[in-house]
Amino acid sequence: MTPTTETMVGIGGAAESTDMVLNIGPQHPSTHGVLRLRLLLDGERITSAEPVIGYMHRGAEKLFEARDYRQIIMLANRHDWLSAFSNELGVVLAVERMLGMEVPERAVWTRTLLAELNRVLNHLMFLGSYPLELGGITPIFYAFTEREELQHVMEEVSGGRMHYMFNRVGGLKEDLPAGWTTRARAAVADVRSRMDRFDDLVLGNEIFRGRTRGVGVLPPETVHAYGVSGPIARASGVDFDLRRDEPYLGYGELQDVLKVVTRQEGDCLARFECLLEQTHHALDLADACLDRLAELPPGPINQRLPKVLKAPEGHTYAWTENPLGINGYYLVSKGEKTPYRLKLRSASYNNIQALVELLPGTLVADMVAILGSMFFVVGDIDK
C-alpha cells in the first residue's frame, strides 16, 4: 500500500496519494454556531471525522458552586437556549428531591404543560431550519409563524421570550394570569391546525426525501455506545423515553395520551419524521394538561421557602426528557446554601459525539444533511 501524507489545504485538490484535511467551522454556514469539524477526506469521501468542541464553554458547572440554590436556576436555564424551561425544570427537581419537598398539584400540572409547549417551540425551530440547510427556504417562515403563536402565551405567563426563569424551588414564580389557559388552548389549536404544512411541504418534497433517505444511518449499537438519546435515538429504533419509562411531573397520569415515536431506519429522514410526529404528540399532551388544570380547585402554585435555603448533606441525580434528549443534573451537597458540585449531562454533548462513527464513509455533500439531522444546540455541548 502506498504511504500517504496529510496536507492542510484550503480550496482545491491534492495529489492522488494525499489525504485532504478539511476544517468545517468554527465559523461556517454548515455548523449551528461555533462547532468545528475536522474531516479527513479521500477524494469526496470522508475517512475520519473529529468534532472539536469548547469554543463556547462558559464554565457553568464551576459557576454552580458559587451560586445559591435560587441563583443556579439562571445558569441552568441557558445551555440549550431552545429548551430554557426544561433546563430550569431539571435543576429544581434535583434540589426538591434533596429537600424531600412536595410541590403543589397546580405547580406539577403547570410545569408539565409548559414543558410540552417548550418542546414544541424547540422542535419547530429544527423543523424549519433543517430544510433550510438543504436548500428549502419556505419552511423556516412557517416555523417562525407557529413559534410566535406559542411564544406569545409563554411570554405572557413568564415575562421572558427565551429565558423564562419561571421555575422556582418549590413550584413556579407566580400563578397563571386570568384567562391564560383559554388563550393557551387557542394557540395550541391554531398551531395544530397548520402543522400539516410540514407534512406536505417537506415530507412531500421528493428532493428532500432524496437528500435524506438512506443517508447517515445511525445503528442502535452506536446509539447505546455513545449515550445518544431523544428523537435521534428513537429514529434508530431505541424505544426509550423518560416520560414513559421513569415518569416525573404529571406524565405518570398521561400514559393514555403519551405516545413514544420511533422509526427503524435510523437515517436523516427518520430523524426528521420522529421530530415532526413528536411535535404533534406534544400538542396533544399540552391539551391534556390544560384539561387537568381546568379540573383542579384554586390553590397555591409554590411552597414558601426560608430566606436562606440549604440542602441537606448528600447527593442525588435528577434526569428529564428534554426536547433534544436526556438532560441530567448530579447534585452533591455539603449542607451549605450553594451546591458542593453540580454536574450537567446534556443531550447534545452525547449526540454530537456519534458523528465520529456516523460521518466516515459518507460523501462531503451529505455531511450537511447528516449534521443538520443531529438536532443539537452548541451551548448544550459546551456546558
Side-chain angles (χ1 to χ4, degrees):
M1 182 176 176
T2 306
T4 60
T5 57
E6 292 185 6
T7 304
M8 189 73 74
V9 299
I11 300 174
E16 290 183 6
S17 61
T18 304
D19 291 336
M20 183 169 80
V21 180
L22 179 66
N23 279 293
I24 303 295
Q27 300 288 351
H28 191 277
S30 298
T31 61
H32 302 224
V34 283
L35 173 72
R36 175 184 167 205
L37 288 177
R38 186 178 183 276
L39 307 177
L40 189 62
L41 307 182
D42 180 8
E44 292 188 24
R45 199 164 292 278
I46 299 169
T47 57
S48 73
E50 177 192 1
V52 183
I53 64 175
Y55 291 95
M56 281 192 66
H57 180 57
R58 301 178 296 120
E61 291 178 326
K62 196 65 183 172
L63 291 172
F64 284 142
E65 301 169 17
R67 304 291 189 275
D68 67 33
Y69 287 107
R70 292 179 174 88
Q71 295 168 330
I72 60 174
I73 299 171
M74 182 273 293
L75 290 171
N77 180 289
R78 283 160 164 72
H79 55 89
D80 175 0
W81 46 76
L82 295 178
S83 310
F85 185 86
S86 301
N87 300 340
E88 301 170 12
L89 182 62
V91 74
V92 297
L93 289 176
V95 178
E96 287 164 2
R97 183 176 296 175
M98 287 287 286
L99 293 167
M101 180 181 290
E102 293 287 336
V103 302
E105 193 173 11
R106 282 178 56 78
V108 171
W109 284 103
T110 306
R111 281 177 171 179
T112 311
L113 166 62
L114 296 176
E116 290 306 313
L117 293 179
N118 194 194
R119 192 180 310 277
V120 176
L121 285 168
N122 175 290
H123 291 355
L124 281 170
M125 177 60 77
F126 290 107
L127 292 175
S129 67
Y130 185 45
L132 179 65
E133 291 164 1
L134 299 180
I137 193 172
T138 308
I140 192 71
F141 296 118
Y142 287 128
F144 268 93
T145 299
E146 310 312 329
R147 275 176 56 85
E148 280 303 306
E149 186 97 18
L150 294 176
Q151 284 282 27
H152 285 317
V153 295
M154 293 292 283
E155 186 176 6
E156 182 186 357
V157 75
S158 67
R161 283 184 60 82
M162 283 189 71
H163 303 298
Y164 305 109
M165 284 302 297
F166 197 53
N167 277 287
R168 295 291 186 271
V169 177
L172 294 166
K173 175 186 172 186
E174 57 196 6
D175 210 341
L176 304 175
W180 181 86
T181 54
T182 302
R183 293 186 287 278
R185 194 183 291 276
V188 169
D190 287 346
V191 172
R192 181 188 285 107
S193 70
R194 296 188 292 264
M195 283 300 295
D196 287 345
R197 288 170 170 174
F198 296 97
D199 292 287
D200 301 334
L201 193 64
V202 183
L203 290 181
N205 187 301
E206 60 184 60
I207 298 174
F208 178 84
R209 299 184 77 88
R211 287 291 307 275
T212 55
R213 185 193 286 116
V215 175
V217 176
L218 183 66
E221 50 270 23
T222 305
V223 169
H224 293 302
Y226 284 86
V228 175
S229 59
I232 299 171
R234 292 191 282 274
S236 296
V238 178
D239 189 4
F240 181 71
D241 190 313
L242 286 174
R243 295 173 298 170
R244 179 197 63 194
D245 300 322
E246 285 197 22
Y248 57 98
L249 294 181
Y251 291 114
E253 300 178 40
L254 293 173
Q255 297 301 306
D256 56 332
V257 182
L258 175 63
K259 295 181 178 66
V260 179
V261 183
T262 60
R263 293 288 188 275
Q264 300 301 318
E265 295 84 0
D267 56 9
C268 295
L269 181 59
R271 291 191 277 275
F272 186 86
E273 287 176 343
C274 273
L275 202 73
L276 178 55
E277 194 172 338
Q278 188 168 288
T279 308
H280 285 284
H281 294 325
L283 291 169
D284 294 340
L285 286 168
D287 266 340
C289 292
L290 285 165
D291 291 340
R292 290 302 300 265
L293 277 172
E295 297 169 1
L296 293 179
I301 204 160
N302 51 38
Q303 296 271 28
R304 292 185 65 86
L305 299 177
K307 189 172 182 179
V308 177
L309 182 64
K310 295 183 179 182
E313 190 168 344
H315 60 92
T316 190
Y317 181 70
W319 57 349
T320 55
E321 188 68 41
N322 265 33
L324 298 181
I326 294 173
N327 188 78
Y329 292 97
Y330 178 60
L331 171 62
V332 181
S333 172
K334 294 289 187 180
E336 302 296 330
K337 65 179 182 179
T338 61
Y340 177 70
R341 291 286 186 273
L342 185 54
K343 304 298 288 184
L344 167 62
R345 187 261 192 236
S346 61
S348 299
Y349 179 82
N350 288 70
N351 292 354
I352 207 66
Q353 305 308 316
L355 290 172
V356 174
E357 302 280 348
L358 197 53
L359 287 177
T362 63
L363 296 171
V364 178
D366 290 330
M367 183 273 297
V368 177
I370 296 169
L371 187 65
S373 73
M374 297 307 284
F375 309 131
F376 62 90
V377 172
V378 177
D380 204 37
I381 302 169
D382 299 341
K383 46 189 183 289

